[in-house]
C-alpha cells in the first residue's frame, strides 16, 4: 500500500463515512431540545401543544428520514459515478451537505421543524451517494477503513454532545450542522489527488490520465502492466451484459449468494445497533443511569467502538471474514439478552445498571469488529462484475430500509414491549450468525469461481 493510495482512502472516508457516522449519532443527545422546539412551534401555530404520541411520531420521523434519503442516494451511486467519477460525485455532494446544514442550522430561528426534517433527508441523500461508493471500491484491510471512520464520526458526535460543548438548548441547531466541516475539508483536499485510474481508463478511455494517476497512486514509473490489465477489463466489460436487479433475483445460479447478501445486510441493521446509536440516551435513562452521567458514559462507549473497529481492521486479513462476522453477531446477541435481564432485575439489584452499560458497549464492540463493514466486502466478493452492481443495489437498499425501520419504530417498540424489545434483536443476531456459519463460505483470497463451487 502506497502513501497516496492510503491517503485518498482516508480522505474519502473522512468526508463520507465519518459524516455518515456523525449523522447516525447526532440526533441522540439533543432529542429533548428538538422535541421541546417541535412542541413550542406547534403551540404557537395552533394554540396547543403536541400530545406524547404525535410528538414521538414526529421525532421518530426526524431520526429515520435520514435513512430514506440514504436509500435514494444509494440508488443513484452507479449512474452518478459513471458520469462524474469519484471526485466529481464527492465534490457535488458537498453542496448537499451545505444545503442540509443551512436548513437545520436556521430551523429554530425561522420557527420551522420541517427544515430539520428536510435537512436530515438531504444529509441522508449525501451519505447514500458517497458512503456506499466509498465502501464498494475497497477490499480487505482498506475495505474496513470506512467502518473505522463511521465509528470516529459517532465518537465525534458524542464528544460534541457534552453539555459543556454543543449538547445544550442554545447550540443544538449548530450541533446538527457541524457535518459541513469535514465535507468542506474533503472538498478542499480532494483536488490534491487525481481521479480514479479505473474510471479514467474504463469509463473515459483516457489512457494518459489513467497512467498519470497510477504513477501518483502506486509511486512507481512502471505501470504498463496495470494499464494492460485495465484494458483487458475494459474489453471484457464491453462484452458482458450487466444483470438487472430483477434478473439477479431470479437467477438460480447465484440464488444462495443473493440470499446471503439479503441476510447479512438486513441483519446488520436489524441487529439493534441503530437503536443504540439513535436512542442511547433513552436506553441509559431506562437503565437507571443518572442524567448527569449519561453524556460521559456515551462518550466512553464511543471510544470503545473506535478501538473495536481498529481491531477488526487489522485482523481481517489474518482471521478472515467469517470468524469476525460470526463472533460479532454472537456477541451482539448475548449482550442484547444481557440488557433484557439487567432491565428486569435492576429494581431489585441497582448495580444491574452497570451491566446494561457493559452490554451496550459489548453490542457496539461486536458490531464494529465485523458486521459494520464485512457485508459490503462480501457483496463484492460473492459476485462477478456482471452481477455486482445489482447486488450492491439490493444490499444497499435493504441496508437503508432496515435502518429507517429501526429508527422509526424503536420508540414505539420500547413503549409496547419494554425490556423485552431487546430479545427481538437477540434473536435476529443469532439467526444471522447461524446462517453465516452454515451457508456462507470464507471469501478471503478466493476467486469467484471457487466461491461459486462452494455454494453449489
Amino acid at each position: 500500500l502506497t502513501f497516496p493510495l492510503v491517503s485518498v482512502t482516508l480522505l474519502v472516508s473522512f468526508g463520507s463515512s465519518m459524516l455518515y457516522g456523525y449523522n447516525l449519532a447526532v440526533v441522540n443527545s439533543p432529542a429533548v431540545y428538538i422535541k421541546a422546539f417541535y412542541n413550542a412551534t406547534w403551540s404557537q401555530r395552533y394554540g396547543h401543544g403536541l400530545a406524547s404520541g404525535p410528538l414521538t411520531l414526529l421525532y421518530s420521523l426526524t431520526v429515520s428520514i435520514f435513512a430514506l434519503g440514504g436509500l435514494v442516494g444509494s440508488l443513484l451511486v452507479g449512474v452518478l459515478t459513471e458520469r462524474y467519477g469519484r471526485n466529481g460525485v464527492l465534490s457535488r455532494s458537498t453542496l448537499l451537505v451545505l444545503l442540509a446544514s443551512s436548513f437545520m442550522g436556521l430551523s429554530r430561528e425561522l420557527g420551522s421543524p420541517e427544515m430539520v426534517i428536510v435537512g436530515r433527508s438531504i444529509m441522508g441523500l449525501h451519505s447514500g451517494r458517497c458512503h456506499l461508493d466509498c465502501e464498494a471500491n475497497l477490499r480487505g484491510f482498506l475495505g474496513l477503513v470506512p467502518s473505522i471512520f463511521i465509528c470516529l464520526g459517532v465518537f465525534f458526535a458524542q464528544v460534541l454532545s457534552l453539555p459543556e460543548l454543543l449538547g445544550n438548548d442554545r447550540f443544538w441547531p449548530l450541533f446538527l450542522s457541524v457535518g459541513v466541516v469535514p465535507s468542506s475539508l474533503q472538498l478542499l483536499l480532494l483536488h490534491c489527488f487525481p481521479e480514479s485510474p479505473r474510471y479514467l481508463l474504463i469509463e473515459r478511455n483516457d489512457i494518459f490520465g489513467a497512467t498519470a494517476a497510477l504513477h501518483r497512486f502506486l509511486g512507481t514509473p512502471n505501470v504498463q502492466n496495470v494499464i494492460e490489465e485495465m484494458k483487458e477489463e475494459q474489453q471484457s466489460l464491453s462484452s458482458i451484459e450487466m444483470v438487472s436487479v430483477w434478473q439477479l433475483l431470479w437467477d438460480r445460479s447465484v440464488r444462495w449468494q443473493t440470499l446471503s447478501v439479503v441476510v447479512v445486510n438486513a441483519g446488520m441493521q436489524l441487529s439493534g445497533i441503530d437503536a443504540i446509536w439513535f436512542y442511547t440516551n433513552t436506553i441509559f435513562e431506562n437503565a437507571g443511569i443518572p442524567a448527569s452521567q449519561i453524556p460521559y458514559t456515551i462518550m466512553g462507549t464511543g471510544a470503545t467502538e473506535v478501538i473495536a473497529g481498529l481491531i477488526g481492521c487489522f485482523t481481517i486479513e489474518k482471521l478472515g471474514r467469517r470468524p469476525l462476522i460470526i463472533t460479532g453477531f454472537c456477541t451482539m446477541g448475548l449482550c442484547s439478552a444481557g440488557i433484557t435481564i439487567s432491565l428486569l432485575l435492576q429494581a431489585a439489584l441497582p448495580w444491574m445498571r452497570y451491566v446494561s452499560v457493559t452490554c451496550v458497549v459489548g453490542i457496539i464492540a461486536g458490531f464494529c469488529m465485523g458486521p459494520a463493514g464485512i457485508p459490503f466486502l462480501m457483496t463484492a466478493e460473492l459476485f462477478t462484475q456482471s452481477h455486482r452492481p445489482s447486488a450492491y443495489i439490493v444490499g444497499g437498499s435493504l441496508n437503508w430500509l432496515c435502518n429507517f425501520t429501526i429508527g422509526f419504530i424503536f420508540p414505539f417498540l420500547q413503549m409496547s414491549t419494554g425490556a423485552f424489545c431487546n430479545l427481538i434483536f437477540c434473536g435476529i443476531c443469532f439467526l444471522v450468525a447461524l446462517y453465516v456459519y452454515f451457508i456462507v463460505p470464507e471469501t478471503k483470497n478466493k476467486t469467484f469461481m471457487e466461491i461459486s463451487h462452494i455454494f453449489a
Side-chain angles (χ1 to χ4, degrees):
L1 296 179
T2 62
F3 178 75
L5 181 59
V6 174
S7 298
V8 77
T9 302
L10 295 177
L11 177 62
V12 173
S13 299
F14 174 75
S16 303
S17 299
M18 185 172 178
L19 192 55
Y20 167 71
Y22 183 85
N23 282 290
L24 285 176
V26 72
V27 289
N28 174 50
S29 177
V32 62
Y33 308 120
I34 296 175
K35 289 180 180 179
F37 165 61
Y38 286 179
N39 202 33
T41 305
W42 194 273
S43 182
Q44 291 173 2
R45 290 181 183 179
Y46 305 106
H48 61 86
L50 281 163
S52 176
L55 182 59
T56 301
L57 181 66
L58 190 59
Y59 181 72
S60 297
L61 179 63
T62 304
V63 171
S64 58
I65 197 71
F66 172 76
L68 285 187
L71 173 61
V72 175
S74 67
L75 294 175
L76 296 174
V77 165
V79 175
L80 294 172
T81 303
E82 182 178 341
R83 183 171 182 179
Y84 299 114
R86 180 202 62 216
N87 288 11
V89 169
L90 294 175
S91 299
R92 287 165 174 79
S93 294
T94 303
L95 298 177
L96 291 177
V97 179
L98 181 60
L99 180 63
S101 298
S102 300
F103 269 93
M104 294 186 289
L106 296 173
S107 59
R108 186 171 61 181
E109 295 297 322
L110 299 178
S112 174
E114 296 86 354
M115 293 177 69
V116 179
I117 297 173
V118 172
R120 285 278 295 168
S121 65
I122 296 174
M123 198 67 83
L125 181 64
H126 165 271
S127 291
R129 288 172 64 175
C130 297
H131 172 59
L132 183 59
D133 184 55
C134 177
E135 293 272 15
N137 287 284
L138 300 170
R139 293 184 66 181
F141 168 81
L142 289 182
L144 287 192
V145 168
S147 68
I148 298 296
F149 277 86
I150 294 175
C151 298
L152 285 172
V154 172
F155 180 61
F156 186 48
Q158 291 166 342
V159 172
L160 289 182
S161 71
L162 294 176
E164 296 86 352
L165 298 176
L166 301 181
N168 52 61
D169 187 43
R170 180 183 178 186
F171 291 120
W172 68 261
L174 177 61
F175 183 35
L176 296 182
S177 306
V178 166
V180 74
V181 176
S183 184
S184 299
L185 287 174
Q186 181 193 59
L187 179 63
L188 292 173
L189 296 174
L190 198 60
H191 296 291
C192 300
F193 296 93
E195 181 56 83
S196 165
R198 187 177 180 278
Y199 166 76
L200 290 172
L201 194 146
I202 295 177
E203 301 295 343
R204 295 300 183 192
N205 204 29
D206 182 1
I207 296 178
F208 295 106
T211 303
L214 284 170
H215 286 320
R216 287 283 308 279
F217 283 128
L218 300 181
T220 175
N222 185 16
V223 296
Q224 192 57 38
N225 290 339
V226 183
I227 291 291
E228 292 301 324
E229 289 178 8
M230 292 169 66
K231 285 182 178 179
E232 291 177 8
E233 183 182 0
Q234 185 184 38
Q235 292 175 355
S236 66
L237 287 176
S238 64
S239 62
I240 292 176
E241 181 181 353
M242 290 297 176
V243 173
S244 68
V245 172
W246 185 252
Q247 290 172 321
L248 174 73
L249 296 176
W250 285 96
D251 189 343
R252 294 178 61 87
S253 66
V254 292
R255 177 180 55 189
W256 283 103
Q257 289 94 318
T258 304
L259 181 60
S260 299
V261 167
V262 169
V263 170
V264 296
N265 279 278
M268 176 172 61
Q269 298 297 340
L270 298 178
S271 63
I273 189 64
D274 288 320
I276 287 179
W277 277 337
F278 287 147
Y279 301 105
T280 316
N281 274 43
T282 304
I283 292 171
F284 283 163
E285 285 174 7
N286 293 339
I289 304 299
S292 60
Q293 298 178 14
I294 288 178
Y296 307 98
T297 306
I298 292 174
M299 191 172 68
T301 65
T304 302
E305 66 188 276
V306 173
I307 296 171
L310 288 170
I311 293 173
C313 191
F314 286 102
T315 58
I316 184 171
E317 294 298 352
K318 183 176 181 180
L319 299 178
R321 282 65 162 150
R322 289 181 79 252
L324 287 177
I325 198 168
I326 292 172
T327 302
F329 275 115
C330 287
T331 301
M332 296 174 75
L334 287 171
C335 291
S336 294
I339 291 177
T340 298
I341 294 171
S342 63
L343 290 176
L344 293 174
L345 297 178
Q346 71 178 18
L349 303 170
W351 55 268
M352 276 290 176
R353 70 182 65 173
Y354 303 109
V355 175
S356 291
V357 174
T358 303
C359 289
V360 168
V361 171
I363 291 173
I364 293 172
F367 178 78
C368 292
M369 278 196 298
I374 290 177
F376 293 101
L377 298 180
M378 291 176 61
T379 303
E381 294 171 340
L382 293 180
F383 295 92
T384 59
Q385 184 61 38
S386 61
H387 291 68
R388 197 171 294 144
S390 293
Y392 266 110
I393 291 175
V394 172
S397 300
L398 277 171
N399 204 301
W400 287 107
L401 282 172
C402 294
N403 186 307
F404 170 79
T405 301
I406 295 299
F408 189 76
I409 71 169
F410 180 73
F412 303 98
L413 188 66
Q414 199 172 40
M415 286 189 290
S416 60
T417 62
F420 295 101
C421 68
N422 294 285
L423 292 181
I424 299 173
F425 302 135
C426 172
I428 291 172
C429 288
F430 281 124
L431 286 174
V432 175
L434 285 172
Y435 179 89
V436 174
Y437 180 80
F438 286 109
I439 302 297
V440 181
E442 177 58 64
T443 58
K444 185 186 73 170
N445 298 329
K446 286 187 174 65
T447 66
F448 171 79
M449 292 308 299
E450 290 172 331
I451 296 170
S452 181
H453 285 311
I454 295 173
F455 271 114

